[in-house]
């Protein structure tokens, strides 16, 4: 019996199922491996980015701490000379290349101007309170209710032009100082341009108010609930920092991590502006760049850093070609899965082919057996018919034998009767002859 095409197709359904399942499972494994690789790279990238953000955050905290230390120094000391100020800030300037200037800006009322200038000239003879005219030239400051001149500044050689400059006439600086005075806390400015020997870079200013030390008139005054402390402003500790140098100093303690870092801050218009962009040292000929657009990438890590009352958004992106999932792992899984699927399909095909051969052989042997059974049945029927005929013949023969036997017995009886009669009939003459012979013999004997 031959299989129909439909039956043949149904026979190969297991092969189709195994092949489809193998392909689907291989593809799923490929996706899982790629997803695992992406997660592993994402975790590695996030950890490396967090390390860099952390060291920059620590550097920012240390930078802001310098201004707080200067403010505490002036607040704790009744008088701080130019030499004391230089000695105090010199170690920080040597160890922090991001410092553009550290300055002390006292608050001077108009009535104290002459006395203030006279005292300042004891340590720096050319000192005077200055301002810029409409042409940008330094001139002696005009009469105003108060002045905010730069009394001390370090490093001096790089910032000598601002010594004595009245910062009340600089809108940006004055706004920062006024804000720190109003809040009584450290304040950070918006991004400002910093120019060093013709090179322009991005930076920011930090201001911290310094108050005169005052003692409460009585314990009652110091314990009045809800009464804000009113303290007279002595001056301001001011720092100007280069954003790039500060960031690079923080990152140089870490090994290159193939991560580009961009720093964003709020501009004066309220928009987000790019402050600084650090390119990883693993780039060929990598250089730091100011306010350059960072490259788009699939991976990105963003975190917010706090600088006083301001916030920086730090965005980390990987260098192209780094932190990418290894495609070889996925392709190895894909190749292995497809190879296993192919081998399993061949094995199932072999099993099905073997099963088909066995089935055909069984059908053939079954057909042969069925033919043999039919032949045997025919022989059995023929034998039964022969046995029936033989039995009939035997019965007929027995019947005939019985008849012949009965007839033979009858004839034997008749023959026996005939023999008996014949014998009797023959014995009578013989007895006469015997008797005659005996008489003759006797007579003859007698005559002898």
């Amino acid at each position: 019996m031959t299989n129909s095409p439909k039956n043949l197709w149904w026979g190969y359904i297991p092969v189709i199922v195994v092949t489809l399942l193998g392909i689907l499972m291989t593809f799923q494994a490929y996706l899982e491996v790629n997803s695992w690789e992406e997660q592993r790279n994402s975790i590695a990238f996030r950890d490396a980015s967090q390390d860099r953000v952390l060291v920059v955050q620590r550097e920012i905290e240390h930078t802001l701490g310098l201004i707080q230390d200067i403010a505490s120094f002036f607040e704790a000391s009744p008088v701080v000379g130019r030499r004391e100020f230089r000695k105090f800030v010199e170690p920080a300037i040597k160890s922090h290349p991001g410092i553009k200037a550290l300055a002390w800006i006292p608050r001077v009322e108009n009535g104290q101007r002459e006395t203030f200038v006279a005292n300042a000239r004891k340590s720096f003879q050319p000192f005077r309170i200055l301002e810029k005219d409409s042409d940008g030239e330094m001139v002696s400051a005009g009469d105003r209710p108060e002045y905010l001149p730069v009394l001390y500044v370090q490093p001096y050689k790089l910032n000598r032009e601002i010594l004595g400059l009245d910062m009340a006439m600089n809108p940006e600086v004055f706004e920062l100082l006024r804000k720190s005075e109003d809040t009584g806390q450290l304040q950070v400015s918006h991004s400002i341009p910093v120019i060093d020997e013709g090179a322009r870079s991005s930076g920011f200013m930090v201001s911290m108010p310094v108050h005169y030390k005052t003692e409460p008139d009585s314990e009652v005054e110091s314990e009045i609930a809800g009464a804000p402390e009113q303290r007279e402003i002595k001056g301001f500790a001011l720092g100007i920092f280069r954003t790039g140098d500060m960031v690079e100093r923080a990152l140089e303690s870490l090994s290159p991590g193939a991560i580009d870092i961009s720093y964003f801050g709020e501009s004066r218009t309220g928009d987000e502006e790019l402050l600084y962009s650090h390119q990883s040292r693993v780039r060929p000929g990598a250089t730091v760049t100011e306010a350059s657009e960072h490259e788009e990438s699939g991976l990105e890590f963003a975190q917010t850093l706090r600088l006083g009352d301001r916030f920086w958004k730090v965005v980390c992106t990987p260098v192209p070609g780094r932190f990418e999932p290894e495609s070889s792992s996925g392709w190895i899984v894909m190749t292995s899965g497809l190879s296993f699927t192919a081998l399993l399909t061949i094995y199932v095909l072999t099993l099905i082919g073997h099963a088909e051969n066995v089935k055909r052989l069984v059908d053939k042997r079954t057909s042969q057996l069925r033919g043999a059974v039919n032949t045997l049945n025919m022989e059995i029927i023929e034998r039964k018919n022969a046995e029936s005929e033989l039995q009939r013949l035997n019965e007929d023969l027995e019947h005939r034998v019985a008849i012949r036997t009965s007839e033979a017995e009858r004839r034997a009886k008749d023959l026996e009767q005939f023999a008996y009669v014949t014998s009797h009939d023959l014995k009578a003459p013989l007895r006469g002859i015997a008797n005659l012979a005996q008489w003759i013999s006797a007579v003859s004997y007698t005559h002898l």
Side-chain angles (χ1 to χ4, degrees):
M1 181 181 67
T2 59
N3 291 327
S4 64
K6 184 177 180 180
N7 291 332
L8 288 176
W9 278 109
W10 277 102
Y12 284 99
I13 284 182
V15 178
I16 297 173
V17 172
V18 168
T19 303
L20 291 177
L21 286 177
I23 293 174
L24 290 175
M25 293 177 67
T26 300
F27 185 70
Q28 181 66 27
Y30 172 78
L31 295 179
E32 289 293 334
V33 169
N34 285 344
S35 176
W36 178 80
E37 286 288 342
E38 290 178 357
Q39 291 179 358
R40 183 176 66 85
N41 289 326
S42 177
I43 292 173
F45 170 72
R46 187 180 66 239
D47 292 342
S49 299
Q50 286 178 338
D51 291 341
R52 279 147 181 79
V53 173
L54 181 60
V55 296
V56 172
Q57 185 175 13
R58 289 177 179 173
E59 184 66 20
I60 291 174
E61 293 174 353
H62 183 64
T63 299
L64 300 182
L66 290 176
I67 304 302
Q68 292 174 334
D69 292 341
I70 294 174
S72 299
F73 179 60
F74 275 91
E75 189 168 352
S77 303
V79 178
V80 176
R82 191 177 304 275
R83 181 177 299 177
E84 288 81 3
F85 176 77
R86 184 179 68 252
K87 289 182 177 180
F88 184 81
V89 301
E90 195 171 43
I93 293 175
K94 290 181 178 180
S95 61
H96 292 79
I99 297 176
K100 162 65 177 172
L102 295 176
W104 163 243
I105 303 175
R107 184 176 184 179
V108 180
E109 295 182 358
N110 192 14
Q112 301 172 340
R113 177 175 177 174
E114 292 182 2
T115 304
F116 171 77
V117 172
N119 291 331
R121 286 179 176 176
K122 293 179 181 179
S123 59
F124 187 75
Q125 183 61 36
F127 182 85
R128 56 181 179 152
I129 300 178
L130 304 171
E131 65 181 7
K132 288 184 179 182
D133 60 12
S134 59
D135 296 329
E137 297 294 332
M138 291 290 189
V139 296
S140 180
D143 290 337
R144 285 186 290 275
E146 67 176 17
Y147 305 91
L148 296 173
V150 177
L151 180 59
Y152 305 143
V153 62
Q154 291 293 330
Y156 170 72
K157 291 183 179 181
L158 300 177
N159 301 280
R160 65 180 67 184
E161 70 278 0
I162 68 171
L163 186 63
L165 184 62
D166 184 9
M167 290 300 173
M169 300 304 295
N170 187 313
E172 293 183 357
V173 180
F174 182 72
E175 178 186 357
L176 179 66
L177 299 179
R178 183 63 65 189
K179 189 175 182 180
S180 62
E181 179 182 1
D182 294 339
T183 60
Q185 297 177 353
L186 182 142
Q187 297 295 319
V188 179
S189 71
H190 293 281
S191 176
I192 61 172
V194 178
I195 300 176
D196 291 308
E197 299 178 354
R200 185 185 181 93
S201 61
S202 175
F204 60 94
M205 295 183 296
V206 181
S207 171
M208 182 72 181
V210 177
H211 301 85
Y212 286 103
K213 294 183 66 174
T214 58
E215 299 294 336
D217 295 338
S218 64
E219 295 183 359
V220 177
E221 291 182 2
S222 63
E223 296 177 358
I224 297 177
E229 183 180 7
Q230 300 294 332
R231 301 177 63 188
E232 186 179 356
I233 290 292
K234 183 178 183 180
F236 302 90
L238 180 70
I240 303 175
F241 302 93
R242 305 179 191 91
T243 304
D245 291 344
M246 184 187 68
V247 170
E248 295 303 325
R249 180 184 183 277
L251 295 178
E252 69 182 6
S253 63
L254 299 176
S255 58
I259 296 176
D260 296 337
I261 309 175
S262 298
Y263 297 84
F264 297 87
E266 183 181 358
S267 66
R268 291 187 175 277
T269 60
D271 299 328
E272 185 179 74
E273 64 175 345
L274 181 60
L275 305 177
Y276 180 76
S277 180
H278 163 82
Q279 289 188 347
S280 174
R281 287 168 281 171
V282 302
R283 288 178 177 269
T287 59
V288 295
T289 59
E290 294 292 336
S292 61
E293 294 295 335
H294 69 282
E295 300 180 18
E296 295 295 333
S297 174
L299 288 177
E300 184 177 283
F301 176 81
Q303 186 169 330
T304 301
L305 300 181
R306 182 170 183 175
L307 289 80
D309 62 329
R310 298 198 181 278
F311 296 92
W312 281 3
K313 179 182 178 182
V314 184
V315 178
C316 300
T317 56
V319 172
R322 301 299 182 95
F323 293 102
E324 294 182 353
E326 297 182 3
S327 59
S328 58
S329 300
W331 285 113
I332 289 174
V333 172
M334 176 71 76
T335 303
S336 302
L338 292 178
S339 300
F340 178 77
T341 301
L343 292 175
L344 185 60
T345 302
I346 293 173
Y347 178 71
V348 174
L349 276 173
T350 303
L351 289 180
I352 291 177
H354 182 69
E356 289 294 328
N357 292 333
V358 171
K359 184 178 180 181
R360 285 195 294 269
L361 184 60
V362 169
D363 291 341
K364 182 179 179 180
R365 293 291 185 266
T366 302
S367 178
Q368 292 176 352
L369 182 60
R370 188 178 292 109
V373 170
N374 292 334
T375 302
L376 183 60
N377 289 335
M378 292 297 295
E379 291 180 357
I380 292 174
I381 292 173
E382 291 178 357
R383 288 186 180 183
K384 286 184 177 180
N385 292 335
E387 288 178 357
S388 299
E389 183 65 19
L390 182 60
Q391 185 176 3
R392 186 184 63 78
L393 293 175
N394 287 336
E395 291 177 354
D396 185 52
L397 180 59
E398 289 176 356
H399 179 68
R400 290 184 179 184
V401 168
I403 294 175
R404 293 291 189 272
T405 301
S406 176
E407 184 176 354
E409 289 177 353
R410 184 181 59 79
R411 290 181 178 181
K413 290 181 180 180
D414 290 343
L415 182 58
E416 184 180 0
Q417 185 68 26
F418 174 74
Y420 178 77
V421 173
T422 300
S423 176
H424 185 271
D425 289 343
L426 290 175
K427 286 181 179 180
L430 289 174
R431 280 194 301 271
I433 294 171
N435 289 331
L436 181 55
Q438 289 178 357
W439 183 72
I440 293 171
S441 177
V443 171
S444 296
Y445 182 77
T446 305
H447 282 291
L448 293 172

